[in-house]
Amino acid sequence: MRKEGLYMKRMLSGIKPTGRVTLGNYIGAIKPFVSYQDEYEMYIFIANLHSMTIYQKPADLRQNTRDLIALYIAAGLDPEKVTLFLQSDVLEHAQLGWYLGCMVSMGELSRMTQYKDKKAKNEVIGAGIFNYPSLMNADILMYDPDYVPVGEDQKQHVELCRDIAERFNSRYSETFKIPEPLVTKVGGRIMDLQNPTKKMSKSDEIGKGTIYILDDIQVSKKKIKSAVTDSDGHIHYDPENKPGISNLLEIYSILVNRSIADLEKQYDGKGYGEFKNDLAEVLGEELEKIQTRYHEIMSGSYLDDVLEKGAQKARIIARKKLAKVERKIGITIRKR
Ligand code: ATP
Ligand code: LTN
């Protein structure tokens, strides 16, 4: 794709529909995607095949999937600029995932933190968690992106993807572009409001320290006002010694698009109460905008149209890439 006479770099990423979308997802993933859409040719998909590694009631999976796409759009992602699609709508992902799964070693897969963490919990784990990176490699390599924006936790998967792409290219011939992970600096790890040394997570059962984008706005504002801070009363960014207030400063900075230093100056000599009240107001306004737009999007058939268009565009690239791979590896035997 061209932009003002130059080729736009391509970006691709996915989010799993595994639960209710949190402020962490919004700040760490959705909002950055919106900011990239004018600069890059973007492919964003809902990783619903990956979400099967965690059991969800079918009705919940359906609801979470529709919510996630609607939230992307409500947050400002423009389907005219970005190709938005469902992973399961492009069958080539699973097929390429199989081929790439035959090129990765058990040792490499066993070193993945996501798998190791689950294994350490000593629960029964499905083979999907172990094989997870092969499907993710297919998601990425299928589209030859230059960049893959992800949270810190996913960087290791993108690095494995680079190794597998290089292995394929050297065993067969140049086929895949080697992608770069892109990890956001501010907002890459929003912390739990009640326990700011732990990541804000959608799989947190109690939910007191997690803000859900579609939750009641008054409840979310209250969560900000009762966020755990410290007793020194000085509004200053120091994640090590003042994790609570630093987390709130990061959230504030991203929401108003101002630097942390600027906010520190504004609140110099002021109390935590005033700071939290202001942040609660800013968050409330942002949530209100998103929720209004979300309800409009959910009401008609707009979402289905967006997904159909997105799948059609993605399939063209995926079919071409899979055909190329199958020719190279010797699966295709027909001459024409
Ligand atoms: P869980 O919280 O259950 O571990 P998750 O929200 O991390 O799940 P994903 O759907 O994989 O699960 O996350 C989508 C994106 O949101 C990823 O890029 C992830 O890095 C980012 N993300 C998730 N939580 C946060 C957070 N607290 N701060 C910043 N980014 C986050
Ligand atoms: N593993 C990612 C979701 C994901 C993804 C991808 C991200 C699946 N396939 C391809 C980037 C590129 C996660 O858990 N957030």
Side-chain angles (χ1 to χ4, degrees):
M1 198 190 267
R2 278 171 178 275
K3 184 199 170 200
E4 290 160 15
L6 294 167
Y7 277 102
M8 274 170 117
K9 297 251 187 200
R10 189 177 283 183
M11 207 176 244
L12 169 132
S13 197
I15 305 198
K16 288 173 295 180
T18 39
R20 292 188 294 151
V21 177
T22 69
L23 185 66
N25 299 136
Y26 178 66
I27 289 188
I30 301 179
K31 222 169 151 62
F33 294 169
V34 174
S35 75
Y36 298 138
Q37 67 183 344
D38 291 315
E39 295 298 313
Y40 297 92
E41 180 194 357
M42 289 193 78
Y43 290 79
I44 301 291
F45 65 94
I46 308 295
N48 54 357
L49 298 181
H50 278 106
S51 77
M52 296 307 294
T53 52
I54 296 165
Y55 172 74
Q56 288 184 87
K57 284 193 197 122
D60 289 348
L61 177 57
R62 272 191 287 273
Q63 183 68 37
N64 288 334
T65 307
R66 290 186 80 82
D67 278 356
L68 192 49
I69 312 155
L71 278 176
Y72 271 133
I73 302 172
L77 218 65
D78 179 355
E80 294 298 321
K81 295 183 187 155
V82 175
T83 306
L84 262 180
F85 65 100
L86 285 184
Q87 188 184 28
S88 60
D89 274 346
V90 185
L91 305 183
E92 286 77 5
H93 285 233
Q95 184 130 346
L96 181 59
W98 171 257
Y99 297 136
L100 297 179
C102 296
M103 298 198 63
V104 66
S105 72
M106 302 274 286
E108 284 170 315
L109 292 176
S110 319
R111 283 194 287 278
M112 294 297 111
T113 309
Q114 184 172 294
Y115 164 72
K116 284 203 296 197
D117 286 353
K118 291 262 187 302
K119 192 163 167 260
K121 286 190 186 150
N122 263 335
E123 291 160 11
V124 176
I125 42 176
I129 281 289
F130 186 66
N131 289 325
Y132 188 107
S134 295
L135 180 59
M136 181 157 164
N137 291 344
D139 298 337
I140 298 172
L141 298 179
M142 188 80 87
Y143 300 92
D144 288 322
D146 297 279
Y147 300 109
V148 181
V150 281
E152 189 60 50
D153 55 325
Q154 294 298 316
K155 205 169 156 214
Q156 192 191 26
H157 286 157
V158 182
E159 274 152 10
L160 175 66
C161 178
R162 289 166 60 88
D163 292 345
I164 300 304
E166 276 164 7
R167 191 169 302 162
F168 189 103
N169 287 351
S170 72
R171 188 178 291 176
Y172 298 101
S173 66
E174 200 62 28
T175 306
F176 297 123
K177 185 171 239 168
I178 313 297
E180 294 268 353
L182 198 74
V183 181
T184 18
K185 297 229 162 49
V186 175
R189 197 171 159 80
I190 296 300
M191 307 310 252
D192 188 284
L193 298 175
Q194 288 300 315
N195 178 5
T197 52
K198 170 180 158 281
K199 189 186 98 152
M200 183 184 285
S201 171
K202 57 184 164 199
S203 25
D204 175 40
E205 297 94 38
I206 312 164
K208 262 192 85 185
T210 300
I211 289 181
Y212 298 99
I213 300 295
L214 290 174
D215 229 1
D216 182 279
I217 294 177
Q218 294 314 321
V219 170
S220 297
K221 284 165 99 172
K222 238 184 242 149
K223 286 182 181 172
I224 291 282
K225 290 183 194 170
S226 54
V228 167
T229 44
D230 52 63
S231 55
D232 112 329
H234 182 45
I235 297 168
H236 171 60
Y237 186 73
D238 178 355
E240 192 118 321
N241 301 307
K242 294 164 73 67
I245 203 75
S246 301
N247 189 38
L248 295 179
L249 271 166
E250 284 204 31
I251 296 173
Y252 205 153
S253 155
I254 300 279
L255 291 181
V256 296
N257 197 17
R258 281 172 56 195
S259 73
I260 288 176
D262 200 19
L263 291 170
E264 281 175 338
K265 221 181 283 159
Q266 180 186 335
Y267 286 97
D268 189 29
K270 297 195 172 141
Y272 288 168
E274 184 177 343
F275 173 81
K276 284 181 178 176
N277 275 339
D278 290 354
L279 173 56
E281 283 314 305
V282 166
L283 176 74
E285 278 168 31
E286 182 110 349
L287 293 180
E288 182 124 31
K289 263 195 295 184
I290 301 176
Q291 291 187 5
T292 307
R293 182 94 182 88
Y294 161 86
H295 289 296
E296 286 164 13
I297 294 165
M298 290 294 270
S299 64
S301 63
Y302 175 67
L303 216 56
D304 296 331
D305 298 341
V306 166
L307 290 178
E308 188 45 44
K309 224 173 97 194
Q312 280 176 17
K313 265 187 81 182
R315 279 184 202 125
I316 294 172
I317 300 179
R319 280 187 190 147
K320 228 169 124 184
K321 185 58 113 188
L322 185 68
K324 188 172 187 178
V325 166
E326 292 188 327
R327 269 197 315 275
K328 294 209 180 191
I329 63 179
I331 284 281
T332 303
I333 54 162
R334 290 177 196 86
K335 299 253 165 68
R336 292 192 308 131

PDB file of all heavy atoms in Angstrom, residues 78-91:
ATOM      1  N   ASP A  78     -10.607   2.475  12.512  1.00  0.00           N
ATOM      2  CA  ASP A  78     -11.471   2.737  11.378  1.00  0.00           C
ATOM      3  C   ASP A  78     -11.387   1.578  10.378  1.00  0.00           C
ATOM      4  O   ASP A  78     -10.345   1.371   9.746  1.00  0.00           O
ATOM      5  CB  ASP A  78     -11.007   4.052  10.725  1.00  0.00           C
ATOM      6  CG  ASP A  78     -11.824   4.427   9.505  1.00  0.00           C
ATOM      7  OD1 ASP A  78     -12.690   3.624   9.096  1.00  0.00           O
ATOM      8  OD2 ASP A  78     -11.590   5.519   8.962  1.00  0.00           O
ATOM      9  N   PRO A  79     -12.471   0.817  10.212  1.00  0.00           N
ATOM     10  CA  PRO A  79     -12.433  -0.347   9.315  1.00  0.00           C
ATOM     11  C   PRO A  79     -12.128   0.018   7.858  1.00  0.00           C
ATOM     12  O   PRO A  79     -11.786  -0.846   7.064  1.00  0.00           O
ATOM     13  CB  PRO A  79     -13.828  -0.957   9.433  1.00  0.00           C
ATOM     14  CG  PRO A  79     -14.401  -0.379  10.662  1.00  0.00           C
ATOM     15  CD  PRO A  79     -13.762   0.959  10.869  1.00  0.00           C
ATOM     16  N   GLU A  80     -12.234   1.318   7.539  1.00  0.00           N
ATOM     17  CA  GLU A  80     -11.865   1.737   6.181  1.00  0.00           C
ATOM     18  C   GLU A  80     -10.344   1.768   6.021  1.00  0.00           C
ATOM     19  O   GLU A  80      -9.813   1.643   4.920  1.00  0.00           O
ATOM     20  CB  GLU A  80     -12.417   3.149   5.881  1.00  0.00           C
ATOM     21  CG  GLU A  80     -13.930   3.239   5.827  1.00  0.00           C
ATOM     22  CD  GLU A  80     -14.533   2.381   4.717  1.00  0.00           C
ATOM     23  OE1 GLU A  80     -13.949   2.325   3.621  1.00  0.00           O
ATOM     24  OE2 GLU A  80     -15.594   1.756   4.972  1.00  0.00           O
ATOM     25  N   LYS A  81      -9.646   1.961   7.143  1.00  0.00           N
ATOM     26  CA  LYS A  81      -8.192   2.051   7.078  1.00  0.00           C
ATOM     27  C   LYS A  81      -7.531   0.741   7.481  1.00  0.00           C
ATOM     28  O   LYS A  81      -6.435   0.426   7.029  1.00  0.00           O
ATOM     29  CB  LYS A  81      -7.695   3.136   8.057  1.00  0.00           C
ATOM     30  CG  LYS A  81      -8.144   4.535   7.716  1.00  0.00           C
ATOM     31  CD  LYS A  81      -7.535   5.531   8.711  1.00  0.00           C
ATOM     32  CE  LYS A  81      -8.093   6.926   8.513  1.00  0.00           C
ATOM     33  NZ  LYS A  81      -8.011   7.717   9.726  1.00  0.00           N
ATOM     34  N   VAL A  82      -8.182   0.030   8.400  1.00  0.00           N
ATOM     35  CA  VAL A  82      -7.563  -1.157   8.989  1.00  0.00           C
ATOM     36  C   VAL A  82      -8.322  -2.400   8.551  1.00  0.00           C
ATOM     37  O   VAL A  82      -9.546  -2.376   8.476  1.00  0.00           O
ATOM     38  CB  VAL A  82      -7.641  -1.033  10.533  1.00  0.00           C
ATOM     39  CG1 VAL A  82      -7.144  -2.278  11.225  1.00  0.00           C
ATOM     40  CG2 VAL A  82      -6.875   0.185  11.001  1.00  0.00           C
ATOM     41  N   THR A  83      -7.627  -3.478   8.255  1.00  0.00           N
ATOM     42  CA  THR A  83      -8.313  -4.735   7.945  1.00  0.00           C
ATOM     43  C   THR A  83      -8.575  -5.470   9.257  1.00  0.00           C
ATOM     44  O   THR A  83      -7.651  -5.905   9.934  1.00  0.00           O
ATOM     45  CB  THR A  83      -7.446  -5.597   7.001  1.00  0.00           C
ATOM     46  OG1 THR A  83      -7.105  -4.808   5.866  1.00  0.00           O
ATOM     47  CG2 THR A  83      -8.179  -6.849   6.571  1.00  0.00           C
ATOM     48  N   LEU A  84      -9.858  -5.545   9.609  1.00  0.00           N
ATOM     49  CA  LEU A  84     -10.267  -6.181  10.872  1.00  0.00           C
ATOM     50  C   LEU A  84     -10.916  -7.513  10.539  1.00  0.00           C
ATOM     51  O   LEU A  84     -11.860  -7.563   9.755  1.00  0.00           O
ATOM     52  CB  LEU A  84     -11.347  -5.320  11.508  1.00  0.00           C
ATOM     53  CG  LEU A  84     -11.011  -4.326  12.589  1.00  0.00           C
ATOM     54  CD1 LEU A  84     -12.279  -3.607  13.026  1.00  0.00           C
ATOM     55  CD2 LEU A  84     -10.377  -4.990  13.785  1.00  0.00           C
ATOM     56  N   PHE A  85     -10.446  -8.593  11.123  1.00  0.00           N
ATOM     57  CA  PHE A  85     -11.068  -9.878  10.781  1.00  0.00           C
ATOM     58  C   PHE A  85     -10.978 -10.894  11.906  1.00  0.00           C
ATOM     59  O   PHE A  85     -10.249 -10.706  12.882  1.00  0.00           O
ATOM     60  CB  PHE A  85     -10.457 -10.440   9.490  1.00  0.00           C
ATOM     61  CG  PHE A  85      -8.987 -10.798   9.581  1.00  0.00           C
ATOM     62  CD1 PHE A  85      -8.587 -12.111   9.766  1.00  0.00           C
ATOM     63  CD2 PHE A  85      -8.006  -9.827   9.469  1.00  0.00           C
ATOM     64  CE1 PHE A  85      -7.237 -12.458   9.838  1.00  0.00           C
ATOM     65  CE2 PHE A  85      -6.649 -10.160   9.546  1.00  0.00           C
ATOM     66  CZ  PHE A  85      -6.265 -11.466   9.734  1.00  0.00           C
ATOM     67  N   LEU A  86     -11.736 -11.969  11.741  1.00  0.00           N
ATOM     68  CA  LEU A  86     -11.705 -13.073  12.691  1.00  0.00           C
ATOM     69  C   LEU A  86     -10.710 -14.113  12.193  1.00  0.00           C
ATOM     70  O   LEU A  86     -10.772 -14.518  11.033  1.00  0.00           O
ATOM     71  CB  LEU A  86     -13.071 -13.763  12.756  1.00  0.00           C
ATOM     72  CG  LEU A  86     -14.220 -13.103  13.477  1.00  0.00           C
ATOM     73  CD1 LEU A  86     -15.424 -14.051  13.466  1.00  0.00           C
ATOM     74  CD2 LEU A  86     -13.828 -12.797  14.919  1.00  0.00           C
ATOM     75  N   GLN A  87      -9.860 -14.575  13.083  1.00  0.00           N
ATOM     76  CA  GLN A  87      -8.857 -15.589  12.725  1.00  0.00           C
ATOM     77  C   GLN A  87      -9.537 -16.839  12.127  1.00  0.00           C
ATOM     78  O   GLN A  87      -9.071 -17.390  11.135  1.00  0.00           O
ATOM     79  CB  GLN A  87      -8.111 -15.954  14.010  1.00  0.00           C
ATOM     80  CG  GLN A  87      -6.912 -16.846  13.885  1.00  0.00           C
ATOM     81  CD  GLN A  87      -6.369 -17.188  15.277  1.00  0.00           C
ATOM     82  OE1 GLN A  87      -7.123 -17.212  16.255  1.00  0.00           O
ATOM     83  NE2 GLN A  87      -5.086 -17.443  15.363  1.00  0.00           N
ATOM     84  N   SER A  88     -10.666 -17.225  12.700  1.00  0.00           N
ATOM     85  CA  SER A  88     -11.336 -18.451  12.236  1.00  0.00           C
ATOM     86  C   SER A  88     -11.949 -18.286  10.847  1.00  0.00           C
ATOM     87  O   SER A  88     -12.318 -19.278  10.214  1.00  0.00           O
ATOM     88  CB  SER A  88     -12.419 -18.852  13.229  1.00  0.00           C
ATOM     89  OG  SER A  88     -13.362 -17.804  13.340  1.00  0.00           O
ATOM     90  N   ASP A  89     -12.087 -17.066  10.357  1.00  0.00           N
ATOM     91  CA  ASP A  89     -12.642 -16.840   9.018  1.00  0.00           C
ATOM     92  C   ASP A  89     -11.610 -17.086   7.929  1.00  0.00           C
ATOM     93  O   ASP A  89     -11.951 -17.148   6.743  1.00  0.00           O
ATOM     94  CB  ASP A  89     -13.151 -15.391   8.879  1.00  0.00           C
ATOM     95  CG  ASP A  89     -14.584 -15.245   9.377  1.00  0.00           C
ATOM     96  OD1 ASP A  89     -15.249 -16.279   9.575  1.00  0.00           O
ATOM     97  OD2 ASP A  89     -15.030 -14.100   9.562  1.00  0.00           O
ATOM     98  N   VAL A  90     -10.352 -17.180   8.303  1.00  0.00           N
ATOM     99  CA  VAL A  90      -9.295 -17.378   7.301  1.00  0.00           C
ATOM    100  C   VAL A  90      -8.658 -18.748   7.591  1.00  0.00           C
ATOM    101  O   VAL A  90      -7.760 -18.882   8.422  1.00  0.00           O
ATOM    102  CB  VAL A  90      -8.263 -16.227   7.340  1.00  0.00           C
ATOM    103  CG1 VAL A  90      -7.246 -16.366   6.220  1.00  0.00           C
ATOM    104  CG2 VAL A  90      -8.963 -14.871   7.239  1.00  0.00           C
ATOM    105  N   LEU A  91      -9.174 -19.765   6.908  1.00  0.00           N
ATOM    106  CA  LEU A  91      -8.815 -21.151   7.245  1.00  0.00           C
ATOM    107  C   LEU A  91      -7.330 -21.433   7.078  1.00  0.00           C
ATOM    108  O   LEU A  91      -6.785 -22.351   7.685  1.00  0.00           O
ATOM    109  CB  LEU A  91      -9.616 -22.122   6.359  1.00  0.00           C
ATOM    110  CG  LEU A  91     -11.138 -21.970   6.395  1.00  0.00           C
ATOM    111  CD1 LEU A  91     -11.808 -23.036   5.523  1.00  0.00           C
ATOM    112  CD2 LEU A  91     -11.657 -22.065   7.820  1.00  0.00           C
TER     113      LEU A  91
END
